[in-house]
Amino acid sequence: PALGHDEIPHEGREVTCLEIGWDAYVTCSRCDHTTYVEIPATGHIFQDKLCVSCGLEQPASKQWDLSTGADGSVMAYAYTNADGTYFLEITGNGATKNYTSSSPFKSLNQKIGNICIRDGVTDIGNYLFANLTIKGDITFADSVVSIGRNAFRYFAGPKIIALPESITTIGNNAFYYATNLVVILQGEKQPSSLGSNWDYYCGHYVNPQQVITTEDAIYVIDQNGKAWLAKYCADESEFVAETVVSGIPVTGIGAYAF
């Protein structure tokens, strides 16, 4: 009769970004029988600058000198994500330069995922993000104190932009016609200097208790516990608003909700 396999067990090895792996397998001491199956290396999968598997930082795909003195003190770097979008990082110390009519990132319009403004950057220049549509969110470090004129004019993508308490100045038309989002001011009160029409057709709320987003709307529970329909974000001809959010009846409609 056949002897059957004399199985010898072997441990598996976890696959990595650059090295193959395999599950636990057996071989036979008497023949070439094996259950070994090679698992190919995954390659690096980058998201927001870093590999999600090993943490490797990738080199920037594009860069811009945003410094007012063209000295590299404030830079922007774009990193390519695995899905083909870009992660945009603004980093350095000081203010970004002002632009006169369009964003320096206009070539990446509708291709940007998330934007991160790092600690050390103090001023967002005029038109820096104007007319951009992004696919993710934007975050601000607490070092940011000023947002320039038209900085987010016609900006679109995220439903919420949360501005840190550190901001003291918002320029004219800063969020002009950023129609499908709501600005949240995280301080206990509004910045001391607000330009004209800074939130025109956008709307803002100061330090709300809660922000609730649905597929087609944004609701805010304000400092006093009142629930508002802050923004309708879709373009359907008919819309039925929530009557209660987080157990609180919706009794207010924001100035730029529609």
Side-chain angles (χ1 to χ4, degrees):
L3 297 176
H5 294 303
D6 179 25
E7 292 186 338
I8 302 172
H10 302 269
E11 293 183 352
R13 186 175 82 176
E14 186 175 354
V15 67
T16 69
C17 298
L18 301 178
E19 295 184 340
I20 64 170
W22 53 82
D23 293 328
Y25 67 99
V26 297
T27 56
C28 177
S29 65
R30 292 191 285 261
C31 70
D32 294 332
H33 168 73
T34 180
T35 60
Y36 171 84
V37 176
E38 182 179 295
I39 303 172
T42 61
H44 294 299
I45 301 171
F46 290 108
Q47 180 64 38
D48 293 354
K49 188 177 179 179
L50 302 177
C51 175
V52 298
S53 298
C54 70
L56 178 73
E57 182 176 319
Q58 67 169 316
S61 305
K62 304 174 185 291
Q63 67 179 48
W64 299 259
D65 186 346
L66 303 182
S67 58
T68 56
D71 57 7
S73 57
V74 181
M75 298 289 295
Y77 299 98
Y79 300 88
T80 307
N81 292 323
D83 64 0
T85 62
Y86 291 92
F87 169 60
L88 186 63
E89 179 183 50
I90 315 297
T91 185
N93 291 283
T96 74
K97 69 173 70 173
N98 291 318
Y99 293 84
T100 56
S101 61
S102 62
S103 168
F105 314 118
K106 61 184 179 181
S107 65
L108 300 185
N109 189 34
Q110 300 189 43
K111 300 176 184 177
I112 297 172
N114 294 324
I115 299 174
C116 182
I117 301 170
R118 300 292 190 190
D119 186 47
V121 178
T122 58
D123 301 74
I124 306 302
N126 301 344
Y127 288 94
L128 187 62
F129 300 109
N131 298 291
L132 291 184
T133 296
I134 70 172
K135 298 179 181 297
D137 294 310
I138 181 167
T139 56
F140 299 79
D142 289 338
S143 57
V144 178
V145 297
S146 174
I147 295 178
R149 292 185 292 104
N150 298 292
F152 290 91
R153 184 185 181 95
Y154 290 105
F155 185 80
K159 291 182 178 179
I160 300 294
I161 290 185
L163 300 181
E165 187 175 0
S166 56
I167 289 179
T168 60
T169 302
I170 301 178
N172 296 344
N173 303 314
F175 291 90
Y176 185 85
Y177 261 94
T179 54
N180 284 333
L181 62 86
V182 170
V183 174
I184 300 299
L185 300 171
Q186 295 181 303
E188 292 295 329
K189 57 184 179 181
Q190 296 192 123
S192 55
S193 178
L194 293 173
S196 62
N197 295 320
W198 76 270
D199 68 340
Y200 189 69
Y201 266 93
C202 170
H204 75 278
Y205 293 82
V206 178
N207 198 28
Q209 295 182 17
Q210 191 176 358
V211 179
I212 303 101
T213 60
T214 65
E215 185 176 351
D216 52 11
I218 305 166
Y219 300 86
V220 169
I221 300 175
D222 68 17
Q223 290 175 310
N224 300 315
K226 180 177 179 178
W228 296 76
L229 169 61
K231 179 69 66 174
Y232 172 57
C233 304
D235 56 5
E236 301 296 330
S237 58
E238 295 184 3
F239 167 64
V240 179
E242 302 289 336
T243 57
V244 176
V245 291
S246 294
I248 299 175
V250 178
T251 57
I253 296 178
Y256 299 120
F258 295 96

